[in-house]
Amino acid sequence: MKHIKGRARLAAALCAGLLVTLAGCGVGGGGGEAATEKTKIRFSWWGNPERAELTQKAIDLFEKKNPGIEIQPDFAEFEAYWQKMATEMAGGGGPDVLQMDYSYLKQYASRNLILDLGGQASKGALTLTGFRQGLADTGKIDGKQVAVPWSGNTFAMLYRPDIFAEAKVDLPKKGWSWTEFHATIEKLSKAAVVKDMKGAGDYTGVYHLMDLWLRQQGKSFYTPDGKLGFGKEELRTWFTQTKQFRDDELLLSAQRAAQLDPKPALSADAVAMEPNWDNFIGRYVGEAPDAEFAIGPVPSLKPDTAGLYLKPSMLLSVSTRSQQPDAAAKLVNFMVSDPEAAKILGTNRGIPATEAALAALELNDVDQMIVDYEKSVADLMQPAPPPPPAGAGTIEQAMRDISEELNFKRLTVDQAVDRFFTEAEQAIAAGTD
Amino acid sequence: MTQTTLTKGPARRGAGPRRAVAGPAPGRSDARAGYLFLSPWIIGMAVLTLGPMLASLYLSFTNYNLFNTPDWIGLENYRKMFADDQFHQTVSVTLRYVLLATPLKLGAALAVAIWLTQSRRAMGLYRTAFYAPSLLGASVAMAIVWRALFADDGVQDQLTSSVGLGIGGWVGNPDYSLLMLVLLAVWQFGAPMVIFLAGLQQVPRELYEAAEVDGAGRWRRFVSVTLPMISPVIFFNLLLETVHAFQVFTSAYVISGGDGGPAGSTLFYTLHLYQRAFSDYRMGYASAMAWVLLIVVGLVTALLFRTSRAWVHYAGGSR
């Protein structure tokens, strides 16, 4: 009995000790803050350790140029980043400056979580000019500058010129039609330069390509108020486009694609073409150094309207809760427009959004390829669509899943269309609540 | 059980003099010490388990996306859930998994446990070897290895092709991908196996000897002696593994890259719940899903307990 009591006392003493230490930490932290009196800015972004290293170098330079400001950086992978951000923001916290994605912009702006930087711009803490074509307005919602574009990219047809040459097929060229695109797929699949290599995968699961196809008809995937911009008839046409190819097995099979996942089919010798964002080429070159890659334009319904636009691939926003909006705006400005920062950051986040930052860069071969492509289609570029509604991520995934089920022949085109509309309407309703 | 013996032992020894001096006080301070030792668990339970559970029960009746103040909508989430086709698909995928994985895993565990009770050389080595998969199985690395085994031209493809079934790798085939996850679960039979082993060693030898004298063969002895004698252990394992199977998540999450593919064939209930909560931020809806799962698992457990009266034999009990 005594023994037990003794232990209890010991445990109590240990607990008490722990509490004292915790309290001690708290006091110590408070004291330190009071002593330095630096403006502290929390800055969060998503990315990998390589990006973290480059970002840290840029932050070091910023702190050297602005001795009164101290940056507290943190980062996570994309998915974890947004989970953490949502939780922190919901709890009333969050960073001062955050890396923003176009698909989250509307959600954060409509909940009044990100600051209108117009005030900081008029005070001179932030320059909002000098953006590349069409990017300037992409950070605005209802006239409020809730984000500043940091980098931009364009949709494209990524392909393997070495395979095209061997199969003796014409390369994608500006103004090529969907019919030519389909003929190219067929020729490449029949040539099968590498065993089982197809011309392309079933592109009907690629929601950004459908968006371009709709834009070529003067429509859009989403209306400005965040509803679906097309009806069942358009989607039926879209899914039917590749039906014959699916039946004749001229596309990358869903089975093979599922096995390759998460490896992309283009760098795995499984397809010769892939519609995707032009900056993905950097990743593919890294993954398959022996293969040749090139960037071409997407097919179009009319040669002069490709529906293309420069999309902000990353933006920077300042939290409405920030106690130091001026210092935060300064950091945003530095990251986006400072030539020295641009040199450090390179094209890790894509091609910079401002002309000044782009001019400061020394481009490698791959970067040059992207810049050249964007220049070559400059006359086809249109203004970017408004940011997508809050459920857009779910809808993008639904499009991919439903197209996959079409390829497994688990759905007919009509069933696929109905299921897409059910799921999309649910996602949009849930996003606007 | 152990607690009572621990406290009773010394109390009885020092009963006489102690009671005269301190009266009932030691009992109370015993309790206090007990609670003090329990406090980490009690605090953890209240703050980390009960609190969030009650919060999620409340949220399940609301519309909540992390940013808004939860908005009371009554049973709307539950109504939407039962009207959602994807929800029905996840239920069917999960039930098929539970019905396949649980019996197969228990069967494998029992068979190996019986084999391991026979004395052989290097028995310890075998026991360790059969337990090892359970240590590895829940890991992300194992799920990746599994993917490779079941890819085109992988081990499984070569085996099935050699017996004339040219169906390709199961990873990319929605008709077989669930079976692949079932096999991953079955392969991790180590934990129930160890419990079966303990149970088998408790069966009195003389029962077997008596049965043998009565002319019972191997099978007869298994059915009439072994099974009834270890039925409490079977029941325990069945309960544990069923509950466990309902909660399957990691293997499907890693193997399908988080989307439950191909073609939704591995979209388990928990995976769907995770997507709704952390991709769509539909926290109210996801909480409702979690509560439905809890209720269903609770009902299944109650049902198992009820049937157990008919087949579980407790030695020394009235049955």
Side-chain angles (χ1 to χ4, degrees):
Chain A
M1 208 62 65
K2 232 179 206 166
H3 209 66
I4 290 178
K5 254 183 169 169
R7 278 201 200 159
R9 241 178 258 134
L10 183 70
L14 278 174
C15 286
L18 194 66
L19 283 174
V20 170
T21 342
L22 283 174
C25 294
V27 171
E33 222 166 288
T36 52
E37 283 193 31
K38 266 192 177 181
T39 306
K40 283 190 177 173
I41 299 286
R42 243 191 83 194
F43 173 31
S44 300
W45 72 90
W46 71 82
N48 56 9
E50 187 202 339
R51 179 174 293 169
E53 207 177 297
L54 295 173
T55 311
Q56 189 55 51
K57 276 188 196 154
I59 289 172
D60 291 344
L61 180 65
F62 177 78
E63 287 179 332
K64 218 165 90 191
K65 287 187 169 182
N66 300 277
I69 305 175
E70 189 187 322
I71 308 293
Q72 299 172 321
D74 68 87
F75 73 99
E77 291 288 342
F78 186 81
E79 207 174 314
Y81 172 85
W82 286 110
Q83 283 171 14
K84 192 175 159 209
M85 188 63 67
T87 322
E88 281 185 341
M89 288 283 191
D96 296 275
V97 176
L98 58 142
Q99 187 171 312
M100 177 55 65
D101 185 80
Y102 203 47
S103 61
Y104 283 85
L105 192 58
K106 206 164 205 167
Q107 195 176 356
Y108 277 69
S110 68
R111 313 220 189 279
N112 205 21
L113 294 166
I114 44 182
L115 191 67
D116 178 4
L117 291 166
Q120 273 65 37
S122 54
K123 267 193 251 175
L126 184 65
T127 330
L128 290 171
T129 51
F131 288 103
R132 289 198 289 142
Q133 180 189 11
L135 278 178
D137 288 338
T138 54
K140 280 189 193 159
I141 287 190
D142 300 332
K144 289 182 191 161
Q145 191 79 41
V146 287
V148 181
W150 197 357
S151 59
N153 52 352
T154 304
F155 214 73
M157 187 63 68
L158 311 182
Y159 64 95
R160 293 273 306 267
D162 47 345
I163 303 292
F164 273 70
E166 215 168 313
K168 299 195 176 58
V169 178
D170 291 339
L171 299 180
K173 58 180 184 298
K174 207 169 157 185
W176 68 324
S177 67
W178 287 86
T179 324
E180 286 170 297
F181 174 44
H182 292 155
T184 308
I185 294 179
E186 190 171 346
K187 279 184 216 155
L188 287 165
S189 295
K190 285 186 173 156
V193 173
V194 176
K195 185 177 171 278
D196 290 336
M197 185 193 255
K198 304 288 180 188
D202 189 348
Y203 61 80
T204 57
V206 184
Y207 129 99
H208 289 291
L209 190 63
M210 182 175 177
D211 182 33
L212 294 183
W213 178 75
L214 289 165
R215 285 166 64 90
Q216 292 168 7
Q217 307 169 55
K219 299 165 191 160
S220 60
F221 203 95
Y222 296 111
T223 60
D225 60 343
K227 300 273 185 305
L228 287 179
F230 58 96
K232 289 192 172 181
E233 204 40 60
E234 282 96 335
L235 187 59
R236 195 169 294 125
T237 312
W238 175 250
F239 280 148
T240 312
Q241 276 193 131
T242 49
K243 186 174 183 304
Q244 199 55 48
F245 279 2
R246 282 196 292 271
D247 294 345
D248 297 346
E249 295 180 3
L250 289 170
L251 297 168
L252 175 73
S253 73
Q255 183 151 351
R256 181 114 191 263
Q259 295 204 2
L260 288 172
D261 184 63
K263 246 189 282 167
L266 189 64
S267 61
D269 271 354
V271 294
M273 272 189 293
E274 181 184 280
N276 211 332
W277 297 100
D278 55 13
N279 58 330
F280 273 68
I281 198 93
R283 178 181 164 188
Y284 296 166
V285 170
E287 283 175 348
D290 296 334
E292 280 177 40
F293 293 94
I295 312 175
V298 292
S300 49
L301 291 169
K302 280 170 275 169
D304 53 341
T305 37
L308 288 171
Y309 61 92
L310 203 55
K311 176 191 168 249
S313 53
M314 285 173 206
L315 306 97
L316 282 170
S317 289
V318 174
S319 165
T320 38
R321 300 198 181 103
S322 174
Q323 301 293 309
Q324 306 289 346
D326 293 343
K330 230 179 188 173
L331 176 67
V332 171
N333 196 55
F334 173 81
M335 288 290 170
V336 173
S337 311
D338 189 286
E340 281 182 76
K343 240 181 235 170
I344 294 171
L345 295 168
T347 54
N348 179 281
R349 283 183 169 83
I351 305 295
T354 56
E355 296 286 1
L358 179 56
L361 290 190
E362 285 166 35
L363 299 170
N364 66 24
D365 291 351
V366 176
D367 299 335
Q368 193 61 53
M369 199 152 58
I370 301 172
V371 171
D372 287 347
Y373 165 69
E374 290 182 2
K375 269 188 197 143
S376 77
V377 292
D379 57 324
L380 294 174
M381 296 274 201
Q382 295 170 332
T394 312
I395 293 174
E396 186 174 349
Q397 179 70 40
M399 191 99 194
R400 211 165 23 230
D401 291 348
I402 290 170
S403 170
E404 188 187 29
E405 296 211 25
L406 271 173
N407 278 280
F408 277 118
K409 308 240 177 332
R410 294 197 147 200
L411 293 174
T412 64
V413 168
D414 283 336
Q415 285 170 331
V417 169
D418 286 341
R419 208 179 108 189
F420 177 82
F421 272 83
T422 313
E423 285 185 25
E425 274 155 17
Q426 253 178 31
I428 287 177
T432 50
D433 285 334
Chain B
M1 277 277 263
T2 39
Q3 261 176 346
T4 43
T5 40
L6 270 179
T7 43
K8 261 182 192 163
R12 205 178 294 134
R13 237 179 287 145
R18 222 164 236 270
R19 196 169 287 159
V21 181
R28 219 181 292 148
S29 90
D30 261 7
R32 219 185 301 145
Y35 284 121
L36 189 65
F37 276 109
L38 269 177
S39 63
W41 179 83
I42 292 175
I43 293 168
M45 181 78 185
V47 176
L48 299 175
T49 308
L50 272 180
M53 267 181 84
L54 290 177
S56 92
L57 181 62
Y58 165 69
L59 288 176
S60 76
F61 298 110
T62 66
N63 199 340
Y64 179 52
N65 63 17
L66 279 180
F67 297 113
N68 62 347
T69 34
D71 173 21
W72 185 270
I73 51 168
L75 289 172
E76 188 62 19
N77 282 328
Y78 294 89
R79 204 192 54 72
K80 268 191 202 156
M81 194 189 310
F82 290 108
D84 182 0
D85 288 340
Q86 255 190 316
F87 172 79
H88 292 292
Q89 193 190 350
T90 63
V91 169
S92 121
V93 168
T94 309
L95 282 181
R96 261 182 287 158
Y97 176 83
V98 172
L99 291 177
L100 280 171
T102 313
L104 286 176
K105 185 175 183 178
L106 290 181
L110 184 57
V112 174
I114 288 172
W115 182 70
L116 284 181
T117 45
Q118 298 155 13
S119 41
R120 266 171 227 264
R121 289 177 56 187
M123 216 49 189
L125 183 74
Y126 284 125
R127 284 180 193 176
T128 315
F130 281 114
Y131 190 72
S134 298
L135 299 174
L136 302 169
S139 71
V140 170
M142 206 55 237
I144 291 168
V145 170
W146 218 249
R147 249 190 97 94
L149 287 178
F150 286 85
D152 273 346
D153 294 326
V155 175
Q156 164 267 322
D157 188 17
Q158 288 174 4
L159 280 176
T160 43
S161 298
S162 69
V163 296
L165 281 166
I167 44 173
W170 291 358
V171 173
N173 189 330
D175 296 330
Y176 292 93
S177 50
L178 186 67
L179 203 55
M180 174 181 85
L181 295 184
V182 167
L183 286 179
L184 178 58
V186 171
W187 180 65
Q188 301 160 39
F189 58 74
M193 179 196 76
V194 167
I195 299 169
F196 276 135
L197 259 176
L200 285 169
Q201 276 154 359
Q202 297 291 315
V203 181
R205 295 289 121 204
E206 56 269 26
L207 287 182
Y208 289 113
E209 284 156 21
E212 220 167 334
V213 169
D214 289 345
R218 274 183 147 220
W219 177 248
R220 190 75 227 171
R221 268 178 283 155
F222 174 71
V223 173
S224 304
V225 179
T226 314
L227 278 186
M229 288 309 286
I230 62 162
S231 58
V233 179
I234 296 178
F235 176 60
F236 175 78
N237 271 337
L238 178 67
L239 211 60
L240 219 60
E241 293 302 327
T242 308
V243 172
H244 201 75
F246 270 108
Q247 296 168 345
V248 59
F249 178 80
T250 318
S251 55
Y253 182 76
V254 176
I255 290 179
S256 73
D259 64 3
S265 58
T266 61
L267 188 61
F268 288 127
Y269 193 92
T270 49
L271 197 57
H272 189 55
L273 193 162
Y274 176 83
Q275 286 178 349
R276 285 286 179 258
F278 295 103
S279 304
D280 305 357
Y281 299 141
R282 290 169 69 181
M283 292 296 169
Y285 185 88
S287 299
M289 278 190 75
W291 276 90
V292 168
L293 179 64
L294 182 74
I295 291 166
V296 168
V297 171
L299 283 177
V300 169
T301 311
L303 200 74
L304 284 177
F305 264 105
R306 180 149 289 209
T307 62
S308 77
R309 290 181 201 158
W311 60 272
V312 177
H313 168 87
Y314 290 100
S318 55
R319 255 172 295 237

